[in-house]
């Protein structure tokens, strides 16, 4: 099964979410699943799909300058991306912000 794990994000709890997502991903890989790590804090031109072979997301939280103009519209585009859309399951490992306010879940439900 191909599983997308959302981690990181733009909240003050970014570092906790990165650790959570890494543990979730490692456990899923140990169970034989393919894991796609996705950090929605990245702007569309920065997004790199992190496979289990190249997971390398910086633990440093993004600066306020880096995220002040981020309006999360790019996340909808990311969910429509063929690689992400082809996942069998999506696991939200985000803390705070869009991970806990229902925005990402709502986008996913809207897309079916």
């Amino acid at each position: 099964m191909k599983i997308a794990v959302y981690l990181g994000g733009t909240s003050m709890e970014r570092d906790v979410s990165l650790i959570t997502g890494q543990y979730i991903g490692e456990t899923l890989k140990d169970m034989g699943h393919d894991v796609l790590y996705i950090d929605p804090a990245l702007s569309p031109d920065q997004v790199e799909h992190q496979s289990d072979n190249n997971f390398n997301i910086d633990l440093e939280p993004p600066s306020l300058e880096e995220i002040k103009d981020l309006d999360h519209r790019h996340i909808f585009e990311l969910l429509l991306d063929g690689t992400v859309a082809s996942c069998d399951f999506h696991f939200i490992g985000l803390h705070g912000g869009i991970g806990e306010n229902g925005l990402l879940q709502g986008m996913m439900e809207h897309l079916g």
Side-chain angles (χ1 to χ4, degrees), residues 6-72:
Y6 297 80
L7 71 169
T10 58
S11 81
M12 297 296 290
E13 298 176 59
R14 175 182 172 77
D15 55 343
V16 175
S17 174
L18 286 168
I19 293 167
T20 299
Q22 286 179 357
Y23 281 117
I24 291 165
E26 290 301 317
T27 300
L28 291 169
K29 286 189 290 183
D30 289 346
M31 296 172 67
H33 299 291
D34 292 324
V35 175
L36 179 68
Y37 295 97
I38 300 170
D39 183 355
L42 302 176
S43 64
D45 59 332
Q46 294 174 309
V47 170
E48 290 183 18
H49 303 300
Q50 304 286 334
S51 73
D52 56 359
N53 295 324
N54 70 349
F55 179 76
N56 185 22
I57 295 176
D58 190 356
L59 288 174
E60 186 68 28
S63 71
L64 291 177
E65 283 298 311
E66 292 171 319
I67 64 172
K68 71 179 183 177
D69 296 324
L70 190 61
D71 62 8
H72 301 300

Side-chain angles (χ1 to χ4, degrees), residues 83-97:
T83 305
V84 177
S86 70
C87 290
D88 302 302
F89 187 81
H90 298 259
F91 192 104
I92 302 174
L94 298 169
H95 295 279

